Amino acid sequence: DCEHEIDAFFDTLGKGFRVKTVTLVTQGREIKVKATHAGVASFDFDELCDRPNSAADFIAIARAFHTVILHNIPLLSMDNLPVVRRFITLVDVLYDHQVKLLATAAAEPFRLFQAEKGAAQDEAFAFDRTASRLSDMMSEEYKTKGHRPSVSSTDDGVDLCGLAEIHAQDISDEDIARIWDKYDTDKNGLLSKSELHQMLQDMSQLKKGHRNVGDLTLEDAFSSIDKDGNGNITRKEFVQYARSGKVSVWYII
């Protein structure tokens, strides 16, 4: 059925990466993500829309993941307007950040919200836009768009969030060179584990407001880039990894 198909797709998207449970932090609040790998996160509808989550929570998710899988979208009605409003906000945020959305739902987008004529016209109008956006997110044109997280930069202009999230074909040689030069602090042409750790901490600070990068995250990132396993990352290895599109997993802690 659809649930099995979408679960299989989640596994395919993250092939070669371990499924993790992570915590995002925004405005002092924690957002638990029970299943994520390789920049893809899986949620049940109730986790996001039947709880007191805010736009800020959804923005944190949209910044952290290029693809969201959403299970079990139910039929919506006047009886659960707070849930409807959260869902509208969620879709708006994902759409604005060009996050890919894969979902299982009780109906097609324009049939999800059922309201009597003359009732809740504001919500009905807003949901028409939501349904239009959901339909657009199903189009091939939308699927080819790159993830567009909010951009933050370091004081010297190195866009770390961009390195973490933009598609490989969008990373310029100049961007890679600037980031390499910033973190190859001893200028020996190699990135040590401590230098990579500094990079990951800076990314985490920019993305989530903290510098907590665990040893396991560091080891995973380092071993993924250090292809020859000699304990150092060469510039060639770094460039190859950046262009592979896998850098998005670095900031998921």
Side-chain angles (χ1 to χ4, degrees):
D1 61 12
C2 292
E3 288 295 331
H4 286 122
E5 288 182 17
I6 206 168
D7 286 340
F9 197 77
F10 176 72
D11 293 339
T12 299
L13 286 175
K15 188 175 182 180
F17 294 92
R18 292 183 298 104
V19 177
K20 300 179 181 179
T21 298
V22 302
T23 300
L24 304 179
V25 179
T26 179
Q27 298 181 356
R29 290 164 49 87
E30 292 188 349
I31 307 165
K32 300 292 184 181
V33 186
K34 295 179 181 178
T36 177
H37 53 34
V40 182
S42 179
F43 299 94
D44 189 80
F45 178 87
D46 288 348
E47 291 180 78
L48 297 183
C49 299
D50 200 21
R51 296 179 184 176
N53 292 316
S54 67
D57 299 323
F58 298 149
I59 289 170
I61 291 169
R63 289 176 174 176
F65 305 106
H66 59 71
T67 301
V68 167
I69 294 177
L70 189 60
H71 295 266
N72 303 313
I73 303 174
L75 292 176
L76 303 168
S77 70
M78 294 287 297
D79 295 332
N80 50 10
L81 281 181
V83 173
V84 173
R85 290 165 181 156
R86 287 190 203 102
F87 183 57
I88 290 171
T89 301
L90 172 65
V91 173
D92 283 345
V93 169
L94 297 181
Y95 187 87
D96 289 343
H97 289 76
Q98 294 179 182
V99 174
K100 308 299 183 295
L101 176 65
L102 293 85
T104 59
E108 295 296 319
F110 283 97
R111 295 183 178 180
L112 279 173
F113 180 54
Q114 302 172 344
E116 297 178 2
K117 286 187 177 181
Q121 288 304 301
D122 288 344
E123 279 74 18
F125 177 79
F127 201 88
D128 279 346
R129 184 187 63 180
T130 298
S132 294
R133 289 190 159 190
L134 287 170
S135 296
D136 187 35
M137 294 167 87
M138 296 163 64
S139 70
E140 291 302 319
E141 180 182 358
Y142 183 89
K143 293 174 185 176
T144 62
K145 292 180 179 180
H147 185 204
R148 197 175 73 183
S150 299
V151 175
S152 299
S153 298
T154 56
D155 291 339
D156 58 0
V158 178
D159 183 359
L160 296 179
C161 293
L163 176 66
E165 295 183 89
I166 60 178
H167 286 261
Q169 62 267 27
D170 295 330
I171 302 175
S172 70
D173 292 337
E174 181 180 2
D175 289 336
I176 294 174
R178 290 169 65 197
I179 293 168
W180 175 269
D181 289 340
K182 176 178 176 63
Y183 291 99
D184 179 20
T185 55
D186 58 9
K187 305 305 178 188
N188 68 345
L190 300 169
L191 278 187
S192 65
K193 195 169 292 186
S194 63
E195 288 169 333
L196 179 63
H197 194 203
Q198 179 67 43
M199 181 189 295
L200 297 181
Q201 287 178 318
D202 285 352
M203 287 180 175
S204 178
Q205 181 67 49
L206 289 168
K207 293 300 301 177
K208 293 177 288 184
H210 68 77
R211 301 181 63 80
N212 302 327
V213 178
D215 291 342
L216 182 58
T217 298
L218 176 60
E219 290 295 336
D220 282 350
F222 195 88
S223 62
S224 296
I225 308 169
D226 180 23
K227 292 299 185 183
D228 60 10
N230 69 352
N232 284 295
I233 297 170
T234 66
R235 185 165 185 152
K236 181 179 179 180
E237 288 172 329
F238 179 77
V239 171
Q240 288 176 339
Y241 195 79
R243 293 207 175 282
S244 73
K246 295 179 181 177
V247 283
S248 60
V249 301
W250 289 359
Y251 61 81
I252 300 175
I253 300 166

Short mmCIF file of all heavy atoms in Angstrom, two decimals, residues 107-148:
data_model
loop_
_atom_site.label_atom_id
_atom_site.label_comp_id
_atom_site.label_asym_id
_atom_site.label_seq_id
_atom_site.Cartn_x
_atom_site.Cartn_y
_atom_site.Cartn_z
N ALA A 107 -7.12 12.01 0.95
CA ALA A 107 -7.77 12.49 -0.26
C ALA A 107 -6.78 13.34 -1.05
O ALA A 107 -5.68 13.66 -0.56
CB ALA A 107 -9.00 13.32 0.07
N GLU A 108 -7.17 13.71 -2.25
CA GLU A 108 -6.37 14.63 -3.05
C GLU A 108 -6.38 16.01 -2.39
O GLU A 108 -7.28 16.32 -1.59
CB GLU A 108 -6.94 14.72 -4.47
CG GLU A 108 -6.86 13.43 -5.27
CD GLU A 108 -5.43 13.01 -5.51
OE1 GLU A 108 -4.59 13.89 -5.80
OE2 GLU A 108 -5.13 11.81 -5.40
N PRO A 109 -5.39 16.86 -2.69
CA PRO A 109 -5.26 18.14 -1.98
C PRO A 109 -6.54 18.97 -1.89
O PRO A 109 -6.89 19.47 -0.81
CB PRO A 109 -4.18 18.87 -2.78
CG PRO A 109 -3.30 17.77 -3.28
CD PRO A 109 -4.24 16.65 -3.61
N PHE A 110 -7.29 19.11 -3.00
CA PHE A 110 -8.46 19.98 -2.98
C PHE A 110 -9.66 19.35 -2.28
O PHE A 110 -10.70 19.99 -2.11
CB PHE A 110 -8.84 20.41 -4.40
CG PHE A 110 -7.93 21.48 -4.95
CD1 PHE A 110 -6.87 21.15 -5.77
CD2 PHE A 110 -8.13 22.81 -4.63
CE1 PHE A 110 -6.03 22.13 -6.27
CE2 PHE A 110 -7.31 23.81 -5.12
CZ PHE A 110 -6.24 23.46 -5.95
N ARG A 111 -9.52 18.09 -1.86
CA ARG A 111 -10.62 17.42 -1.15
C ARG A 111 -10.29 17.15 0.31
O ARG A 111 -11.08 16.51 1.02
CB ARG A 111 -10.94 16.10 -1.85
CG ARG A 111 -11.48 16.29 -3.26
CD ARG A 111 -11.86 14.96 -3.89
NE ARG A 111 -12.42 15.13 -5.23
CZ ARG A 111 -12.83 14.13 -6.00
NH1 ARG A 111 -12.75 12.88 -5.55
NH2 ARG A 111 -13.32 14.38 -7.20
N LEU A 112 -9.13 17.63 0.77
CA LEU A 112 -8.72 17.36 2.14
C LEU A 112 -9.53 18.15 3.17
O LEU A 112 -9.83 17.65 4.25
CB LEU A 112 -7.23 17.67 2.32
CG LEU A 112 -6.24 16.60 1.85
CD1 LEU A 112 -4.81 17.13 1.94
CD2 LEU A 112 -6.40 15.33 2.68
N PHE A 113 -9.86 19.40 2.85
CA PHE A 113 -10.56 20.25 3.81
C PHE A 113 -12.03 20.36 3.40
O PHE A 113 -12.36 20.80 2.30
CB PHE A 113 -9.93 21.63 3.86
CG PHE A 113 -10.59 22.58 4.83
CD1 PHE A 113 -10.75 22.22 6.16
CD2 PHE A 113 -11.04 23.82 4.42
CE1 PHE A 113 -11.35 23.08 7.07
CE2 PHE A 113 -11.63 24.70 5.32
CZ PHE A 113 -11.79 24.32 6.64
N GLN A 114 -12.89 19.98 4.32
CA GLN A 114 -14.33 19.99 4.05
C GLN A 114 -15.00 20.99 4.98
O GLN A 114 -14.96 20.84 6.21
CB GLN A 114 -14.91 18.59 4.25
CG GLN A 114 -14.23 17.54 3.37
CD GLN A 114 -14.66 16.13 3.71
OE1 GLN A 114 -15.23 15.87 4.77
NE2 GLN A 114 -14.40 15.20 2.81
N ALA A 115 -15.61 22.02 4.40
CA ALA A 115 -16.29 23.04 5.20
C ALA A 115 -17.62 23.38 4.55
O ALA A 115 -17.76 23.40 3.33
CB ALA A 115 -15.42 24.29 5.30
N GLU A 116 -18.62 23.64 5.39
CA GLU A 116 -19.93 24.02 4.88
C GLU A 116 -19.84 25.40 4.25
O GLU A 116 -19.04 26.25 4.65
CB GLU A 116 -20.95 24.03 6.02
CG GLU A 116 -21.18 22.68 6.66
CD GLU A 116 -22.16 22.76 7.81
OE1 GLU A 116 -22.68 23.87 8.06
OE2 GLU A 116 -22.40 21.73 8.45
N LYS A 117 -20.67 25.64 3.26
CA LYS A 117 -20.69 26.94 2.61
C LYS A 117 -21.04 28.03 3.62
O LYS A 117 -21.91 27.87 4.46
CB LYS A 117 -21.72 26.95 1.48
CG LYS A 117 -21.28 26.16 0.25
CD LYS A 117 -22.27 26.36 -0.88
CE LYS A 117 -21.78 25.64 -2.14
NZ LYS A 117 -22.71 25.85 -3.28
N GLY A 118 -20.32 29.13 3.52
CA GLY A 118 -20.56 30.26 4.41
C GLY A 118 -19.84 30.18 5.72
O GLY A 118 -19.87 31.11 6.51
N ALA A 119 -19.17 29.05 5.98
CA ALA A 119 -18.48 28.87 7.27
C ALA A 119 -16.98 28.95 7.06
O ALA A 119 -16.44 28.42 6.09
CB ALA A 119 -18.85 27.52 7.88
N ALA A 120 -16.30 29.60 8.00
CA ALA A 120 -14.84 29.64 8.01
C ALA A 120 -14.27 29.97 6.64
O ALA A 120 -13.41 29.28 6.11
CB ALA A 120 -14.29 28.31 8.50
N GLN A 121 -14.77 31.07 6.05
CA GLN A 121 -14.32 31.44 4.72
C GLN A 121 -12.83 31.78 4.68
O GLN A 121 -12.15 31.52 3.68
CB GLN A 121 -15.14 32.62 4.19
CG GLN A 121 -16.57 32.24 3.83
CD GLN A 121 -16.63 31.10 2.83
OE1 GLN A 121 -16.10 31.20 1.72
NE2 GLN A 121 -17.24 29.98 3.22
N ASP A 122 -12.31 32.33 5.77
CA ASP A 122 -10.88 32.63 5.81
C ASP A 122 -10.07 31.35 5.68
O ASP A 122 -9.10 31.28 4.92
CB ASP A 122 -10.51 33.35 7.11
CG ASP A 122 -11.03 34.78 7.13
OD1 ASP A 122 -11.39 35.29 6.06
OD2 ASP A 122 -11.07 35.37 8.23
N GLU A 123 -10.46 30.34 6.45
CA GLU A 123 -9.74 29.08 6.38
C GLU A 123 -9.94 28.40 5.03
O GLU A 123 -9.01 27.81 4.48
CB GLU A 123 -10.20 28.13 7.51
CG GLU A 123 -9.57 28.40 8.86
CD GLU A 123 -10.14 29.64 9.52
OE1 GLU A 123 -11.23 30.09 9.13
OE2 GLU A 123 -9.49 30.17 10.46
N ALA A 124 -11.16 28.47 4.50
CA ALA A 124 -11.43 27.85 3.20
C ALA A 124 -10.57 28.50 2.12
O ALA A 124 -10.00 27.80 1.27
CB ALA A 124 -12.91 27.98 2.86
N PHE A 125 -10.48 29.82 2.15
CA PHE A 125 -9.66 30.52 1.17
C PHE A 125 -8.19 30.15 1.34
O PHE A 125 -7.48 29.88 0.35
CB PHE A 125 -9.84 32.04 1.32
CG PHE A 125 -8.97 32.84 0.39
CD1 PHE A 125 -9.33 33.02 -0.94
CD2 PHE A 125 -7.79 33.41 0.86
CE1 PHE A 125 -8.51 33.76 -1.80
CE2 PHE A 125 -6.97 34.15 0.01
CZ PHE A 125 -7.34 34.33 -1.33
N ALA A 126 -7.73 30.15 2.59
CA ALA A 126 -6.33 29.81 2.85
C ALA A 126 -6.03 28.38 2.43
O ALA A 126 -4.95 28.09 1.90
CB ALA A 126 -6.01 30.01 4.33
N PHE A 127 -6.98 27.48 2.66
CA PHE A 127 -6.71 26.09 2.30
C PHE A 127 -6.72 25.88 0.80
O PHE A 127 -6.03 24.99 0.29
CB PHE A 127 -7.69 25.13 2.97
CG PHE A 127 -7.15 23.73 3.03
CD1 PHE A 127 -6.36 23.33 4.10
CD2 PHE A 127 -7.37 22.83 2.00
CE1 PHE A 127 -5.82 22.06 4.14
CE2 PHE A 127 -6.84 21.55 2.04
CZ PHE A 127 -6.05 21.16 3.11
N ASP A 128 -7.49 26.68 0.07
CA ASP A 128 -7.42 26.61 -1.40
C ASP A 128 -6.00 26.90 -1.87
O ASP A 128 -5.48 26.22 -2.78
CB ASP A 128 -8.39 27.61 -2.02
CG ASP A 128 -9.82 27.09 -2.06
OD1 ASP A 128 -10.00 25.88 -1.86
OD2 ASP A 128 -10.74 27.90 -2.28
N ARG A 129 -5.38 27.90 -1.24
CA ARG A 129 -3.98 28.19 -1.60
C ARG A 129 -3.07 27.03 -1.19
O ARG A 129 -2.15 26.66 -1.93
CB ARG A 129 -3.52 29.47 -0.89
CG ARG A 129 -2.10 29.90 -1.28
CD ARG A 129 -1.63 31.07 -0.46
NE ARG A 129 -1.54 30.73 0.95
CZ ARG A 129 -1.15 31.58 1.89
NH1 ARG A 129 -0.85 32.84 1.58
NH2 ARG A 129 -1.08 31.20 3.15
N THR A 130 -3.34 26.45 -0.03
CA THR A 130 -2.54 25.30 0.42
C THR A 130 -2.67 24.15 -0.56
O THR A 130 -1.67 23.50 -0.92
CB THR A 130 -2.99 24.86 1.82
OG1 THR A 130 -2.76 25.92 2.74
CG2 THR A 130 -2.24 23.62 2.28
N ALA A 131 -3.89 23.86 -0.99
CA ALA A 131 -4.11 22.78 -1.94
C ALA A 131 -3.38 23.06 -3.26
O ALA A 131 -2.80 22.15 -3.86
CB ALA A 131 -5.61 22.59 -2.19
N SER A 132 -3.40 24.32 -3.67
CA SER A 132 -2.68 24.69 -4.90
C SER A 132 -1.19 24.46 -4.74
O SER A 132 -0.51 23.96 -5.66
CB SER A 132 -2.95 26.16 -5.25
OG SER A 132 -4.30 26.36 -5.59
N ARG A 133 -0.68 24.82 -3.56
CA ARG A 133 0.75 24.62 -3.32
C ARG A 133 1.10 23.13 -3.25
O ARG A 133 2.14 22.71 -3.76
CB ARG A 133 1.17 25.34 -2.04
CG ARG A 133 1.17 26.85 -2.20
CD ARG A 133 1.80 27.57 -1.02
NE ARG A 133 2.23 28.91 -1.44
CZ ARG A 133 2.97 29.72 -0.71
NH1 ARG A 133 3.36 29.35 0.50
NH2 ARG A 133 3.33 30.90 -1.17
N LEU A 134 0.24 22.35 -2.63
CA LEU A 134 0.48 20.91 -2.58
C LEU A 134 0.50 20.32 -3.99
O LEU A 134 1.34 19.47 -4.31
CB LEU A 134 -0.59 20.23 -1.74
CG LEU A 134 -0.50 20.43 -0.22
CD1 LEU A 134 -1.76 19.90 0.46
CD2 LEU A 134 0.75 19.74 0.35
N SER A 135 -0.41 20.78 -4.82
CA SER A 135 -0.43 20.30 -6.20
C SER A 135 0.83 20.71 -6.94
O SER A 135 1.41 19.91 -7.69
CB SER A 135 -1.67 20.86 -6.93
OG SER A 135 -2.86 20.37 -6.33
N ASP A 136 1.27 21.93 -6.71
CA ASP A 136 2.51 22.40 -7.35
C ASP A 136 3.71 21.59 -6.88
O ASP A 136 4.62 21.29 -7.65
CB ASP A 136 2.72 23.89 -7.04
CG ASP A 136 3.88 24.48 -7.81
OD1 ASP A 136 4.10 24.07 -8.97
OD2 ASP A 136 4.58 25.35 -7.25
N MET A 137 3.72 21.22 -5.58
CA MET A 137 4.83 20.44 -5.03
C MET A 137 4.89 19.04 -5.63
O MET A 137 5.91 18.35 -5.53
CB MET A 137 4.71 20.38 -3.51
CG MET A 137 4.89 21.73 -2.83
SD MET A 137 4.41 21.77 -1.10
CE MET A 137 5.93 21.24 -0.31
N MET A 138 3.80 18.61 -6.26
CA MET A 138 3.78 17.31 -6.92
C MET A 138 4.29 17.39 -8.36
O MET A 138 4.48 16.36 -9.00
CB MET A 138 2.35 16.76 -6.91
CG MET A 138 1.81 16.48 -5.51
SD MET A 138 0.00 16.29 -5.45
CE MET A 138 -0.22 14.81 -6.45
N SER A 139 4.51 18.59 -8.86
CA SER A 139 4.90 18.78 -10.26
C SER A 139 6.38 18.47 -10.47
O SER A 139 7.20 18.58 -9.55
CB SER A 139 4.62 20.21 -10.70
OG SER A 139 5.50 21.12 -10.07
N GLU A 140 6.73 18.11 -11.68
CA GLU A 140 8.12 17.85 -12.02
C GLU A 140 8.96 19.11 -11.90
O GLU A 140 10.12 19.07 -11.51
CB GLU A 140 8.22 17.27 -13.44
CG GLU A 140 7.67 15.87 -13.58
CD GLU A 140 8.35 14.88 -12.65
OE1 GLU A 140 9.59 14.95 -12.50
OE2 GLU A 140 7.65 14.04 -12.04
N GLU A 141 8.37 20.25 -12.24
CA GLU A 141 9.11 21.51 -12.15
C GLU A 141 9.54 21.79 -10.71
O GLU A 141 10.68 22.16 -10.45
CB GLU A 141 8.25 22.66 -12.66
CG GLU A 141 8.96 24.02 -12.60
CD GLU A 141 8.08 25.16 -13.08
OE1 GLU A 141 6.93 24.91 -13.50
OE2 GLU A 141 8.54 26.31 -13.02
N TYR A 142 8.62 21.60 -9.76
CA TYR A 142 8.97 21.83 -8.36
C TYR A 142 10.03 20.84 -7.88
O TYR A 142 10.96 21.22 -7.16
CB TYR A 142 7.72 21.72 -7.48
CG TYR A 142 7.99 22.03 -6.02
CD1 TYR A 142 7.88 23.32 -5.52
CD2 TYR A 142 8.36 21.01 -5.12
CE1 TYR A 142 8.14 23.61 -4.19
CE2 TYR A 142 8.62 21.30 -3.79
CZ TYR A 142 8.50 22.59 -3.34
OH TYR A 142 8.78 22.86 -2.02
N LYS A 143 9.90 19.60 -8.30
CA LYS A 143 10.83 18.56 -7.86
C LYS A 143 12.26 18.84 -8.29
O LYS A 143 13.21 18.35 -7.67
CB LYS A 143 10.38 17.20 -8.36
CG LYS A 143 9.08 16.71 -7.74
CD LYS A 143 8.61 15.42 -8.39
CE LYS A 143 7.26 14.99 -7.87
NZ LYS A 143 6.75 13.78 -8.58
N THR A 144 12.43 19.61 -9.36
CA THR A 144 13.78 19.91 -9.84
C THR A 144 14.38 21.14 -9.17
O THR A 144 15.56 21.44 -9.37
CB THR A 144 13.78 20.13 -11.36
OG1 THR A 144 12.95 21.26 -11.68
CG2 THR A 144 13.28 18.91 -12.09
N LYS A 145 13.59 21.85 -8.37
CA LYS A 145 14.11 23.03 -7.69
C LYS A 145 15.03 22.63 -6.54
O LYS A 145 14.82 21.63 -5.88
CB LYS A 145 12.96 23.88 -7.15
CG LYS A 145 12.10 24.53 -8.23
CD LYS A 145 10.99 25.35 -7.61
CE LYS A 145 10.14 26.03 -8.68
NZ LYS A 145 9.04 26.83 -8.07
N GLY A 146 16.04 23.44 -6.30
CA GLY A 146 16.95 23.17 -5.20
C GLY A 146 16.37 23.64 -3.87
O GLY A 146 15.59 24.59 -3.81
N HIS A 147 16.74 22.95 -2.81
CA HIS A 147 16.35 23.35 -1.45
C HIS A 147 16.81 24.78 -1.21
O HIS A 147 17.92 25.15 -1.54
CB HIS A 147 17.03 22.39 -0.46
CG HIS A 147 16.64 22.60 0.97
ND1 HIS A 147 17.46 22.21 2.00
CD2 HIS A 147 15.54 23.15 1.53
CE1 HIS A 147 16.88 22.50 3.14
NE2 HIS A 147 15.71 23.08 2.90
N ARG A 148 15.95 25.58 -0.61
CA ARG A 148 16.27 26.99 -0.40
C ARG A 148 16.13 27.36 1.08
O ARG A 148 15.19 28.04 1.48
CB ARG A 148 15.36 27.86 -1.26
CG ARG A 148 15.87 29.29 -1.42
CD ARG A 148 14.97 30.04 -2.38
NE ARG A 148 13.69 30.36 -1.77
CZ ARG A 148 12.69 30.98 -2.41
NH1 ARG A 148 12.82 31.27 -3.67
NH2 ARG A 148 11.56 31.25 -1.77
#
